[in-house]
Amino acid sequence: MGSYIVRRVLQMILVVFIISMVAFFVIQLPPGDFVTSYVSSIAAGDRITQDAILALRQQFGLDEPLLMQYFRWITNVLQGNFGLSFQLQRTVGDLLAERLPLTLAITIPTTIFVYAVAIPIGIYSAVKQYSVGDYLFTFVGFIGLAIPNFLLGIVLIYLSTRYFGGNVGGLFSPEFENAPWSVARVLDMSRNMALAIIIIGTSGTAATMRVMRGMLLDELSQAYVETARAKGLSEWRLIMKYPVRVAVSPVLSTVGFTLPAMISGTEITATVLNLPTTGPLLLNAVKSQDMFLAASIILILSVLTVIGTFISDLLLVWADPRIRL
Amino acid sequence: MADTPLLKVEDLCTHYHLPQGTVRAVDGASLSVKPGQTVGIVGESGCGKSVMLRSILRIVPRPGRIESGRILYARADGQVTDLAALDQDGRAARAIRGAEISMIFQEPMTSLSPVHTIGDQIGEALILHRDLSRKAARAETVAALDRVAMPRAERIVDMYPHEISGGMRQRAMIAMALCCGPRLLMADEPTTALDVTTQAQILALMRRLQEEDGMAIVFVTHDLGVVAQMTEFVVIMYLGRVVETGPVRDIYYRPKHPYTHALLHSIPKLGQRRAGARLQSVKGGLPDPYLTMTGCPFAPRCPHNDGDRCEREAPALRSVGAAQEVRCHYAERLDLQGVRKAVTA
Ligand SMILES: Nc1ncnc2c1ncn2[C@@H]1O[C@H](COP(=O)(O)OP(=O)(O)OP(=O)(O)O)[C@@H](O)[C@H]1O
Ligand SMILES: [Mg+2]
């Protein structure tokens, strides 16, 4: 076990290193750089001299070879300095400190929501296969999968404003936007967050529900379930103890990479919902070739993913005694 | 007392209702087991042996259902319960299942949960039926494993099924089935998946345990050698029906049903490969399970089919001789050849 962990950690460091490099270079792939896209975004009337452009390039270090830029950036990152966002003229560290907590505050509850809703429904659907309830959940599940998150977001925003007088997107209703913290403000935020959680979590819930159902159906017909039944255990008790236990561990173990996937997978939804998470920030950074910001976010996501996968694997080893390291 | 049956199955019908049609897995089978008796059930693959045992234990999985018939079980206090009338998942059925009637399954590889320890899986039955504490259950489990001659029982309790061999797993299964002191043990081909040496050990173990505990055993197999070795009384099944029953000797020496005859002569014997002596298998295949037939179910494969009565009229199970029963119109007239010595595997 110990040597396995050491081996995995070394692998993880290598993987993160490669990802950081790939991310950095891929952002540079489109022709031009931040200065080009900056210049073209400035109103056509303002003329910018070649000298000014050169000066800008020099200031940002964009005139150096790519490899040099990368090594300077990564050395700084290792010292905790993620560099500067060209566009926003603030340090990347500041921006992340602002956005990451909220991102986590939305994605962690969403992840919990996904599993807490999907697993019981999946169990019910499998045990009561072909019942009215199973058909209903299957139907709802396919709709949940088929509707893009942002569309669901728009529909829910419409419904909530139309019938419940909620606000349009954002984390706070207008009256609380700049209000000091209070119970009412927290409640208001929770309500908007609940909306975000449902929207972001629906497709994941639908998918996880189907996976859980399928896994459990496979297990329900296994011989060991019959052995348990022959012992005289009651049906629900034996189902929860045996087949569910076997079926749930691979499903649960995906928790490790669901979280980062959710963080990176919600740009569009977060944009539609106007949520100040890292998603829209990354989207913008990539669009404007704001390379340090974009590369830093991607780096953090990849670190989270790699760690998450590692945790998933450990969970699986812990849950299934058949897996030997 | 010894003559009142412990278990009496009467005209049991267990059917599977599938979209393609109804599978009559068990179709009017009857069976009687006396206390302490060992009864063998023999028949080709698919003739309904396993479904019959599952019906008795009331664990027939959906879409299977007991359609009709009675399963009369005499409880320890002499009271007779019709198991077929109980709610499959109800308290009454569950109190008998695993405690008074228990079962050993065919596949020791898959019949134990891969993610629970042996001790957990055996102890669970003790906690459930005998109200033991966890600690007491563990001690009992070790004792139960010792009884089935499990080596290093003290360590095996905490192991997972994949860590021990197939033979040891089947021993664990037997320990599980016996830990609550059942009065009827049903074994569904308990040795089919094991190699010959292990098979012999497991059979010897079961005989020893039966002598010690005096429980009745229903032993399902398609190995007639094992039947001769293990049982006193045989039930031959064909297509969900019992076609012949009787004491082992009578069945082997004087089979009365053409199907039994065919089965007996399909056993390979050591030294049989003399020139000209060929192994007979039962001719023909099983008919479409969805078909409902009129007439004798064995008629299409029967060499003695008269083309008339056999095709029209299903024979009833009737007595021939002292303890033998057979389901054939011409049982007395056929004068079928038995096997000379009861074969031993
Ligand atoms: N779950 C099920 N769904 C549909 N049909 C089934 C099911 N289980 C059993 N059957 C049918 O019931 C019949 C009897 O099956 P059963 O398992 O009792 O045979 P068996 O005599 O135990 O055979 P084997 O010697 O192969 O174990 C078969 O025709 C089979 O197709
Ligand atoms: Mg079977």
PDB file of all heavy atoms in Angstrom, chain B residues 221-242:
ATOM      1  N   THR B 221     -28.979 -33.453  -8.169  1.00  0.00           N
ATOM      2  CA  THR B 221     -27.768 -33.713  -8.951  1.00  0.00           C
ATOM      3  C   THR B 221     -28.176 -34.271 -10.304  1.00  0.00           C
ATOM      4  O   THR B 221     -29.312 -34.694 -10.493  1.00  0.00           O
ATOM      5  CB  THR B 221     -26.870 -34.725  -8.224  1.00  0.00           C
ATOM      6  OG1 THR B 221     -25.770 -35.050  -9.073  1.00  0.00           O
ATOM      7  CG2 THR B 221     -27.603 -36.009  -7.901  1.00  0.00           C
ATOM      8  N   HIS B 222     -27.273 -34.222 -11.281  1.00  0.00           N
ATOM      9  CA  HIS B 222     -27.583 -35.072 -12.418  1.00  0.00           C
ATOM     10  C   HIS B 222     -26.585 -36.209 -12.525  1.00  0.00           C
ATOM     11  O   HIS B 222     -26.453 -36.837 -13.540  1.00  0.00           O
ATOM     12  CB  HIS B 222     -27.762 -34.339 -13.754  1.00  0.00           C
ATOM     13  CG  HIS B 222     -27.001 -33.078 -13.901  1.00  0.00           C
ATOM     14  ND1 HIS B 222     -27.534 -31.981 -14.513  1.00  0.00           N
ATOM     15  CD2 HIS B 222     -25.791 -32.736 -13.508  1.00  0.00           C
ATOM     16  CE1 HIS B 222     -26.657 -31.025 -14.485  1.00  0.00           C
ATOM     17  NE2 HIS B 222     -25.597 -31.440 -13.895  1.00  0.00           N
ATOM     18  N   ASP B 223     -25.917 -36.448 -11.435  1.00  0.00           N
ATOM     19  CA  ASP B 223     -24.953 -37.531 -11.398  1.00  0.00           C
ATOM     20  C   ASP B 223     -25.569 -38.717 -10.653  1.00  0.00           C
ATOM     21  O   ASP B 223     -25.710 -38.710  -9.436  1.00  0.00           O
ATOM     22  CB  ASP B 223     -23.695 -37.022 -10.673  1.00  0.00           C
ATOM     23  CG  ASP B 223     -22.578 -38.046 -10.709  1.00  0.00           C
ATOM     24  OD1 ASP B 223     -22.880 -39.248 -10.855  1.00  0.00           O
ATOM     25  OD2 ASP B 223     -21.415 -37.653 -10.581  1.00  0.00           O
ATOM     26  N   LEU B 224     -25.938 -39.763 -11.404  1.00  0.00           N
ATOM     27  CA  LEU B 224     -26.592 -40.913 -10.776  1.00  0.00           C
ATOM     28  C   LEU B 224     -25.659 -41.665  -9.840  1.00  0.00           C
ATOM     29  O   LEU B 224     -26.103 -42.331  -8.911  1.00  0.00           O
ATOM     30  CB  LEU B 224     -27.128 -41.851 -11.852  1.00  0.00           C
ATOM     31  CG  LEU B 224     -28.425 -41.348 -12.498  1.00  0.00           C
ATOM     32  CD1 LEU B 224     -28.663 -42.045 -13.819  1.00  0.00           C
ATOM     33  CD2 LEU B 224     -29.600 -41.567 -11.563  1.00  0.00           C
ATOM     34  N   GLY B 225     -24.352 -41.516 -10.085  1.00  0.00           N
ATOM     35  CA  GLY B 225     -23.381 -42.144  -9.188  1.00  0.00           C
ATOM     36  C   GLY B 225     -23.461 -41.510  -7.812  1.00  0.00           C
ATOM     37  O   GLY B 225     -23.470 -42.191  -6.784  1.00  0.00           O
ATOM     38  N   VAL B 226     -23.545 -40.200  -7.790  1.00  0.00           N
ATOM     39  CA  VAL B 226     -23.641 -39.485  -6.521  1.00  0.00           C
ATOM     40  C   VAL B 226     -24.936 -39.855  -5.804  1.00  0.00           C
ATOM     41  O   VAL B 226     -24.957 -40.039  -4.585  1.00  0.00           O
ATOM     42  CB  VAL B 226     -23.552 -37.959  -6.765  1.00  0.00           C
ATOM     43  CG1 VAL B 226     -23.840 -37.196  -5.489  1.00  0.00           C
ATOM     44  CG2 VAL B 226     -22.182 -37.586  -7.301  1.00  0.00           C
ATOM     45  N   VAL B 227     -25.995 -40.024  -6.576  1.00  0.00           N
ATOM     46  CA  VAL B 227     -27.275 -40.402  -5.972  1.00  0.00           C
ATOM     47  C   VAL B 227     -27.145 -41.743  -5.264  1.00  0.00           C
ATOM     48  O   VAL B 227     -27.547 -41.907  -4.107  1.00  0.00           O
ATOM     49  CB  VAL B 227     -28.381 -40.494  -7.041  1.00  0.00           C
ATOM     50  CG1 VAL B 227     -29.642 -41.084  -6.447  1.00  0.00           C
ATOM     51  CG2 VAL B 227     -28.665 -39.114  -7.596  1.00  0.00           C
ATOM     52  N   ALA B 228     -26.535 -42.690  -5.949  1.00  0.00           N
ATOM     53  CA  ALA B 228     -26.387 -44.024  -5.371  1.00  0.00           C
ATOM     54  C   ALA B 228     -25.589 -43.962  -4.086  1.00  0.00           C
ATOM     55  O   ALA B 228     -25.852 -44.690  -3.125  1.00  0.00           O
ATOM     56  CB  ALA B 228     -25.690 -44.934  -6.379  1.00  0.00           C
ATOM     57  N   GLN B 229     -24.632 -43.068  -4.050  1.00  0.00           N
ATOM     58  CA  GLN B 229     -23.735 -42.943  -2.919  1.00  0.00           C
ATOM     59  C   GLN B 229     -24.406 -42.234  -1.743  1.00  0.00           C
ATOM     60  O   GLN B 229     -24.130 -42.533  -0.598  1.00  0.00           O
ATOM     61  CB  GLN B 229     -22.562 -42.100  -3.405  1.00  0.00           C
ATOM     62  CG  GLN B 229     -21.269 -42.356  -2.758  1.00  0.00           C
ATOM     63  CD  GLN B 229     -20.253 -41.382  -3.338  1.00  0.00           C
ATOM     64  OE1 GLN B 229     -20.421 -40.811  -4.417  1.00  0.00           O
ATOM     65  NE2 GLN B 229     -19.189 -41.170  -2.604  1.00  0.00           N
ATOM     66  N   MET B 230     -25.251 -41.277  -2.060  1.00  0.00           N
ATOM     67  CA  MET B 230     -25.735 -40.365  -1.025  1.00  0.00           C
ATOM     68  C   MET B 230     -27.141 -40.648  -0.521  1.00  0.00           C
ATOM     69  O   MET B 230     -27.487 -40.265   0.587  1.00  0.00           O
ATOM     70  CB  MET B 230     -25.715 -38.917  -1.547  1.00  0.00           C
ATOM     71  CG  MET B 230     -24.352 -38.335  -1.793  1.00  0.00           C
ATOM     72  SD  MET B 230     -23.407 -38.136  -0.265  1.00  0.00           S
ATOM     73  CE  MET B 230     -24.344 -36.868   0.573  1.00  0.00           C
ATOM     74  N   THR B 231     -27.983 -41.210  -1.369  1.00  0.00           N
ATOM     75  CA  THR B 231     -29.403 -41.165  -1.013  1.00  0.00           C
ATOM     76  C   THR B 231     -30.047 -42.539  -0.894  1.00  0.00           C
ATOM     77  O   THR B 231     -29.538 -43.537  -1.388  1.00  0.00           O
ATOM     78  CB  THR B 231     -30.196 -40.337  -2.055  1.00  0.00           C
ATOM     79  OG1 THR B 231     -30.190 -41.053  -3.280  1.00  0.00           O
ATOM     80  CG2 THR B 231     -29.582 -38.984  -2.254  1.00  0.00           C
ATOM     81  N   GLU B 232     -31.207 -42.550  -0.224  1.00  0.00           N
ATOM     82  CA  GLU B 232     -31.973 -43.788  -0.077  1.00  0.00           C
ATOM     83  C   GLU B 232     -33.119 -43.819  -1.062  1.00  0.00           C
ATOM     84  O   GLU B 232     -33.604 -44.864  -1.454  1.00  0.00           O
ATOM     85  CB  GLU B 232     -32.593 -43.859   1.335  1.00  0.00           C
ATOM     86  CG  GLU B 232     -31.625 -43.664   2.462  1.00  0.00           C
ATOM     87  CD  GLU B 232     -32.253 -42.853   3.585  1.00  0.00           C
ATOM     88  OE1 GLU B 232     -33.453 -43.035   3.833  1.00  0.00           O
ATOM     89  OE2 GLU B 232     -31.543 -42.036   4.196  1.00  0.00           O
ATOM     90  N   PHE B 233     -33.571 -42.649  -1.419  1.00  0.00           N
ATOM     91  CA  PHE B 233     -34.802 -42.532  -2.184  1.00  0.00           C
ATOM     92  C   PHE B 233     -34.552 -41.579  -3.344  1.00  0.00           C
ATOM     93  O   PHE B 233     -33.870 -40.571  -3.183  1.00  0.00           O
ATOM     94  CB  PHE B 233     -35.892 -41.976  -1.258  1.00  0.00           C
ATOM     95  CG  PHE B 233     -37.273 -42.260  -1.722  1.00  0.00           C
ATOM     96  CD1 PHE B 233     -37.886 -43.475  -1.446  1.00  0.00           C
ATOM     97  CD2 PHE B 233     -37.978 -41.305  -2.457  1.00  0.00           C
ATOM     98  CE1 PHE B 233     -39.167 -43.739  -1.880  1.00  0.00           C
ATOM     99  CE2 PHE B 233     -39.263 -41.569  -2.892  1.00  0.00           C
ATOM    100  CZ  PHE B 233     -39.861 -42.795  -2.598  1.00  0.00           C
ATOM    101  N   VAL B 234     -35.069 -41.913  -4.514  1.00  0.00           N
ATOM    102  CA  VAL B 234     -34.789 -41.084  -5.687  1.00  0.00           C
ATOM    103  C   VAL B 234     -36.067 -40.572  -6.327  1.00  0.00           C
ATOM    104  O   VAL B 234     -37.072 -41.278  -6.386  1.00  0.00           O
ATOM    105  CB  VAL B 234     -34.018 -41.877  -6.773  1.00  0.00           C
ATOM    106  CG1 VAL B 234     -33.485 -40.939  -7.833  1.00  0.00           C
ATOM    107  CG2 VAL B 234     -32.899 -42.669  -6.164  1.00  0.00           C
ATOM    108  N   VAL B 235     -36.009 -39.357  -6.791  1.00  0.00           N
ATOM    109  CA  VAL B 235     -37.097 -38.763  -7.561  1.00  0.00           C
ATOM    110  C   VAL B 235     -36.533 -38.397  -8.920  1.00  0.00           C
ATOM    111  O   VAL B 235     -35.549 -37.665  -9.002  1.00  0.00           O
ATOM    112  CB  VAL B 235     -37.622 -37.493  -6.846  1.00  0.00           C
ATOM    113  CG1 VAL B 235     -38.640 -36.780  -7.709  1.00  0.00           C
ATOM    114  CG2 VAL B 235     -38.199 -37.849  -5.488  1.00  0.00           C
ATOM    115  N   ILE B 236     -37.113 -38.942  -9.969  1.00  0.00           N
ATOM    116  CA  ILE B 236     -36.642 -38.608 -11.317  1.00  0.00           C
ATOM    117  C   ILE B 236     -37.587 -37.566 -11.901  1.00  0.00           C
ATOM    118  O   ILE B 236     -38.806 -37.770 -11.933  1.00  0.00           O
ATOM    119  CB  ILE B 236     -36.649 -39.856 -12.243  1.00  0.00           C
ATOM    120  CG1 ILE B 236     -35.944 -41.042 -11.582  1.00  0.00           C
ATOM    121  CG2 ILE B 236     -36.047 -39.523 -13.604  1.00  0.00           C
ATOM    122  CD1 ILE B 236     -34.461 -41.020 -11.625  1.00  0.00           C
ATOM    123  N   MET B 237     -37.017 -36.455 -12.331  1.00  0.00           N
ATOM    124  CA  MET B 237     -37.859 -35.399 -12.891  1.00  0.00           C
ATOM    125  C   MET B 237     -37.645 -35.267 -14.382  1.00  0.00           C
ATOM    126  O   MET B 237     -36.546 -35.455 -14.901  1.00  0.00           O
ATOM    127  CB  MET B 237     -37.543 -34.054 -12.218  1.00  0.00           C
ATOM    128  CG  MET B 237     -38.229 -33.866 -10.884  1.00  0.00           C
ATOM    129  SD  MET B 237     -37.925 -32.231 -10.198  1.00  0.00           S
ATOM    130  CE  MET B 237     -39.039 -31.231 -11.165  1.00  0.00           C
ATOM    131  N   TYR B 238     -38.723 -34.925 -15.057  1.00  0.00           N
ATOM    132  CA  TYR B 238     -38.629 -34.642 -16.487  1.00  0.00           C
ATOM    133  C   TYR B 238     -39.614 -33.532 -16.822  1.00  0.00           C
ATOM    134  O   TYR B 238     -40.804 -33.640 -16.515  1.00  0.00           O
ATOM    135  CB  TYR B 238     -38.944 -35.905 -17.308  1.00  0.00           C
ATOM    136  CG  TYR B 238     -38.779 -35.682 -18.789  1.00  0.00           C
ATOM    137  CD1 TYR B 238     -37.503 -35.604 -19.345  1.00  0.00           C
ATOM    138  CD2 TYR B 238     -39.881 -35.506 -19.618  1.00  0.00           C
ATOM    139  CE1 TYR B 238     -37.336 -35.372 -20.701  1.00  0.00           C
ATOM    140  CE2 TYR B 238     -39.717 -35.276 -20.975  1.00  0.00           C
ATOM    141  CZ  TYR B 238     -38.446 -35.209 -21.508  1.00  0.00           C
ATOM    142  OH  TYR B 238     -38.282 -34.958 -22.840  1.00  0.00           O
ATOM    143  N   LEU B 239     -39.115 -32.469 -17.404  1.00  0.00           N
ATOM    144  CA  LEU B 239     -39.959 -31.330 -17.789  1.00  0.00           C
ATOM    145  C   LEU B 239     -40.889 -30.839 -16.676  1.00  0.00           C
ATOM    146  O   LEU B 239     -42.089 -30.683 -16.884  1.00  0.00           O
ATOM    147  CB  LEU B 239     -40.813 -31.692 -19.005  1.00  0.00           C
ATOM    148  CG  LEU B 239     -40.122 -31.618 -20.365  1.00  0.00           C
ATOM    149  CD1 LEU B 239     -41.127 -31.848 -21.465  1.00  0.00           C
ATOM    150  CD2 LEU B 239     -39.431 -30.280 -20.557  1.00  0.00           C
ATOM    151  N   GLY B 240     -40.331 -30.630 -15.518  1.00  0.00           N
ATOM    152  CA  GLY B 240     -41.122 -30.057 -14.433  1.00  0.00           C
ATOM    153  C   GLY B 240     -42.030 -31.044 -13.734  1.00  0.00           C
ATOM    154  O   GLY B 240     -42.801 -30.677 -12.861  1.00  0.00           O
ATOM    155  N   ARG B 241     -41.967 -32.311 -14.155  1.00  0.00           N
ATOM    156  CA  ARG B 241     -42.831 -33.309 -13.537  1.00  0.00           C
ATOM    157  C   ARG B 241     -42.003 -34.446 -12.951  1.00  0.00           C
ATOM    158  O   ARG B 241     -40.898 -34.708 -13.432  1.00  0.00           O
ATOM    159  CB  ARG B 241     -43.784 -33.895 -14.573  1.00  0.00           C
ATOM    160  CG  ARG B 241     -45.145 -33.257 -14.528  1.00  0.00           C
ATOM    161  CD  ARG B 241     -45.912 -33.612 -15.742  1.00  0.00           C
ATOM    162  NE  ARG B 241     -45.732 -32.552 -16.718  1.00  0.00           N
ATOM    163  CZ  ARG B 241     -46.538 -32.382 -17.753  1.00  0.00           C
ATOM    164  NH1 ARG B 241     -47.533 -33.196 -17.955  1.00  0.00           N
ATOM    165  NH2 ARG B 241     -46.329 -31.386 -18.586  1.00  0.00           N
ATOM    166  N   VAL B 242     -42.556 -35.094 -11.966  1.00  0.00           N
ATOM    167  CA  VAL B 242     -41.892 -36.277 -11.432  1.00  0.00           C
ATOM    168  C   VAL B 242     -42.347 -37.461 -12.266  1.00  0.00           C
ATOM    169  O   VAL B 242     -43.543 -37.702 -12.396  1.00  0.00           O
ATOM    170  CB  VAL B 242     -42.278 -36.490  -9.958  1.00  0.00           C
ATOM    171  CG1 VAL B 242     -41.739 -37.809  -9.454  1.00  0.00           C
ATOM    172  CG2 VAL B 242     -41.749 -35.331  -9.124  1.00  0.00           C
TER     173      VAL B 242
END
